[in-house]
């Protein structure tokens, strides 16, 4: 194992790719020497081997079959480079919060202190405390309804079952809670993956409580229109596809609401990006 940077020889002409399997315009020629520094197990379930990160182009990778390595490298995985994992500090159920800083009424069933998956770090304005607090944005990755309970520890009310699919019918509120809930940083500790930095400041959280104007919503409208027509969903994981559809639902709800705040607009705009990354779009 070579913990650092090593050289590789390109065996045949190819272009590099992103972590999410998109091709770039960067061409590697046969016989070219390149520097690589990490072997990554990619997201695709049918991919054999690793993709290797180019040291001089840290957002680009090349598949194992296209290169010959001088030294073996440390390994990582798509999940470790995409998500941040946090561990509850106690065995008490972990409360979820809405974007407005209030409890959703739903908690994570936490008897075994299982790490939770997150993908963003946000200051939210908490009205009850009249201040901004730091929260992780939760990602319900490969988790179903059985992981969640009411804040008093009782089971959630059984959802109606769709007779055609035999799956629970989720309300719009259920979908928003599923894909856009937050965890107080003070309730958990970092357990691995990406080390995040806050996406806003405490002052931003306070100032963005103003009602958004049509002008404030313009960029969200543009990106929503572009993304809602994207049909090339390449993710194989049902949770990721569900999160993507819910992110579009959230954006649509914010755009339609005359009471939506600037904070809601900014967060809906951000939410569309990591969801696409998790889907490998």
């Amino acid at each position: 194992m070579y913990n650092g940077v090593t050289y590789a020889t390109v065996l045949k002409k190819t272009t590099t790719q992103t972590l999410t399997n998109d091709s770039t315009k960067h061409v590697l020629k046969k016989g070219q020497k390149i520097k690589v520094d990490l072997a990554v197990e990619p997201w695709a379930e049918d991919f054999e081997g690793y993709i290797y990160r180019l040291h001089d182009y840290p957002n680009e990778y090349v598949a194992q079959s296209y290169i010959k390595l001088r030294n073996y490298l440390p390994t990582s995985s798509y999940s470790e480079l995409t998500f941040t994992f946090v561990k509850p500090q106690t065995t008490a159920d972990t409360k979820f919060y809405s974007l407005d800083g209030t409890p959703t009424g739903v908690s994570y069933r936490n008897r075994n202190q299982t790490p939770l998956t997150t993908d963003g770090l946000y200051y939210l304005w908490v009205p009850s405390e009249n201040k901004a607090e730091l929260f992780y944005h939760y990602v319900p990755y490969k988790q179903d309804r059985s992981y969640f309970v009411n804040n008093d520890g009782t089971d959630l009310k059984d959802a109606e079952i769709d007779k055609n699919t035999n799956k629970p019918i989720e309300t719009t509120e259920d979908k928003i809670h599923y894909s856009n809930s937050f965890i107080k940083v003070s309730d958990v500790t970092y357990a691995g993956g990406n080390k995040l930095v806050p996406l806003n400041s405490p002052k931003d959280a306070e100032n963005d409580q103003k009602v958004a104007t049509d002008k404030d919503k313009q960029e969200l409208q543009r990106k929503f229109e572009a993304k809602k027509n994207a049909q090339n969903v390449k993710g194989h994981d049902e949770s990721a596809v569900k999160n993507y559809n819910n992110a579009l639902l959230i954006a649509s709800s914010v755009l339609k609401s005359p009471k939506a705040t600037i904070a809601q607009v900014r967060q809906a705009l951000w939410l569309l990006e990591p969801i696409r990354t998790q889907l490998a779009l």
Side-chain angles (χ1 to χ4, degrees):
M1 186 75 70
Y2 185 75
N3 189 13
V5 180
T6 190
Y7 281 92
T9 303
V10 179
L11 299 177
K12 50 186 173 181
K13 183 178 177 181
T14 185
T15 57
T16 61
Q17 65 178 73
T18 65
L19 181 63
T20 53
N21 203 34
D22 291 320
S23 295
T24 74
K25 295 180 180 181
H26 184 184
V27 177
L28 301 178
K29 299 178 181 179
K30 181 179 179 179
Q32 182 178 345
K33 303 288 185 184
I34 58 173
K35 290 189 286 186
V36 291
D37 58 18
L38 186 68
V40 178
E41 182 181 350
W43 65 274
E45 296 175 356
D46 57 351
F47 187 95
E48 294 184 3
Y50 294 95
I51 55 176
Y52 286 86
R53 185 172 66 189
L54 275 66
H55 180 67
D56 296 326
Y57 302 89
N59 294 319
E60 296 181 24
Y61 298 78
V62 61
Q64 182 175 343
S65 59
Y66 286 95
I67 61 172
K68 180 179 180 181
L69 280 176
R70 178 182 293 181
N71 302 97
Y72 290 110
L73 287 167
T75 60
S76 185
S77 68
Y78 170 79
S79 291
E80 289 172 334
L81 296 179
T82 303
F83 300 115
T84 300
F85 303 97
V86 297
K87 185 177 180 180
Q89 295 191 19
T90 70
T91 55
D93 295 334
T94 303
K95 286 184 179 180
F96 290 117
Y97 293 80
S98 298
L99 181 65
D100 62 9
T102 60
T104 65
V106 177
S107 296
Y108 180 78
R109 195 189 299 273
N110 188 36
R111 295 166 189 161
N112 300 319
Q113 289 181 275
T114 306
L116 291 86
T117 308
T118 69
D119 62 354
L121 195 55
Y122 254 92
Y123 278 102
L124 302 184
W125 184 254
V126 182
S128 61
E129 299 182 17
N130 199 36
K131 67 175 185 179
E133 284 195 46
L134 201 54
F135 289 77
Y136 282 107
H137 181 261
Y138 171 67
V139 181
Y141 190 61
K142 296 183 182 297
Q143 294 175 351
D144 57 36
R145 190 180 178 85
S146 65
Y147 285 81
F148 307 107
V149 293
N150 294 309
N151 280 353
D152 62 4
T154 58
D155 291 337
L156 299 179
K157 181 181 177 181
D158 290 338
E160 291 185 41
I161 302 299
D162 188 312
K163 295 179 180 179
N164 295 321
T165 64
N166 204 33
K167 292 182 179 180
I169 299 173
E170 290 185 320
T171 64
T172 297
E173 186 179 16
D174 288 336
K175 292 176 181 179
I176 291 175
H177 284 170
Y178 184 90
S179 295
N180 207 27
S181 290
F182 296 81
I183 304 164
K184 275 190 178 182
V185 168
S186 58
D187 288 342
V188 295
T189 56
Y190 172 78
N194 270 336
K195 288 193 175 181
L196 299 169
V197 296
L199 292 161
N200 61 347
S201 69
K203 195 65 177 175
D204 292 333
E206 181 178 7
N207 292 339
D208 289 350
Q209 297 309 301
K210 301 172 185 175
V211 173
T213 64
D214 289 342
K215 184 176 181 181
D216 293 325
K217 294 180 179 181
Q218 282 180 351
E219 185 177 2
L220 178 61
Q221 183 71 55
R222 180 178 59 79
K223 289 202 172 181
F224 171 72
E225 293 295 335
K227 295 178 191 303
K228 76 174 184 179
N229 295 320
Q231 301 298 321
N232 60 327
V233 177
K234 296 183 285 187
H236 300 292
D237 181 80
E238 185 177 348
S239 293
V241 174
K242 185 176 181 180
N243 282 330
Y244 175 64
N245 290 330
N246 290 351
L248 291 172
L249 173 66
I250 290 165
S252 177
S253 298
V254 169
L255 288 168
K256 291 177 182 177
S257 172
K259 296 181 180 180
T261 64
I262 294 174
Q264 288 177 294
V265 172
R266 292 188 194 281
Q267 199 267 336
L269 187 58
W270 168 81
L271 188 61
L272 289 171
E273 295 307 322
I275 293 299
R276 286 174 63 82
T277 299
Q278 292 154 27
L279 268 174
L281 284 181

